Amino acid sequence: MSTIGHQLSGHIRVRVEAVLVTAGNIVAGEAKRSINKSPRGGTYQKRKNSNGTYRTVKASAPFESPANDLGFLVRSIQTEPDMQNLRMRILSLHSIAPYAKSLEYGDMSRGLQPRPFMYKALQAKSAKATSIIQKALNQAVRDMNGARP
């Protein structure tokens, strides 16, 4: 049994992968934007620096996007095409920001309420990303059937 991704011819496959990346980058960009523009309405927290001193950090409030601090969370957001299933993965690399999952869903063992950024980005940009993908797939099908672009 072959997947639809395997059925696409070479040049159409490249075009569909490019549009999947574009759509994924729209959602990933929204996630990054929400972190960088978070209102930071939460309480102050003390964090110990590597040199042993403390600094004050204004954090996001629960259910706001996490506030950008050192930029690791924003840098961790990546896109990864899955051509076999014609989908795009938008993920936060654990190696860069191991706390991303705890921020997104909360961590009751630490008393941390959710600060969703991926889900909110998907909600905000899913219609636009879906529209771009649908148009590209429709064109790919027309091309496979010999229609002129």
Side-chain angles (χ1 to χ4, degrees):
M1 182 168 146
S2 69
T3 63
I4 190 167
H6 284 107
Q7 296 173 20
L8 298 176
S9 67
H11 76 284
I12 294 173
R13 186 178 174 87
V14 169
R15 285 180 23 213
V16 170
E17 184 171 1
V19 81
L20 283 173
V21 169
T22 299
N25 285 337
I26 288 169
V27 176
E30 176 63 19
K32 292 174 183 182
R33 187 204 63 73
S34 73
I35 293 165
N36 285 326
K37 302 293 183 190
S38 178
R40 299 175 185 223
T43 60
Y44 285 90
Q45 298 176 350
K46 299 258 184 183
R47 291 191 181 168
K48 194 169 189 174
N49 289 337
S50 59
N51 63 5
T53 62
Y54 287 86
R55 64 187 175 95
T56 303
V57 177
K58 187 153 185 183
S60 58
F63 304 102
E64 290 178 350
S65 294
N68 193 14
D69 184 16
L70 299 175
F72 292 113
L73 184 60
V74 168
R75 287 193 300 274
S76 77
I77 298 171
Q78 305 289 319
T79 58
E80 179 181 280
D82 175 5
M83 283 303 293
Q84 182 176 358
N85 297 303
L86 287 179
R87 66 181 178 187
M88 192 71 194
R89 290 187 183 105
I90 301 142
L91 47 106
S92 179
L93 297 177
H94 184 78
S95 61
I96 297 174
Y99 47 83
K101 185 176 179 181
S102 294
L103 287 172
E104 181 75 20
Y105 299 107
D107 183 346
M108 297 318 291
S109 69
R110 293 178 32 216
L112 177 68
Q113 291 187 326
R115 279 140 175 95
F117 57 101
M118 291 291 216
Y119 181 72
K120 282 181 168 182
L122 184 59
Q123 280 185 314
K125 297 298 181 180
S126 66
K128 183 175 183 178
T130 300
S131 174
I132 290 169
I133 293 168
Q134 284 176 335
K135 287 176 185 175
L137 289 175
N138 289 340
Q139 185 62 50
V141 168
R142 287 192 295 274
D143 292 351
M144 285 172 45
N145 291 329
R148 300 185 74 119

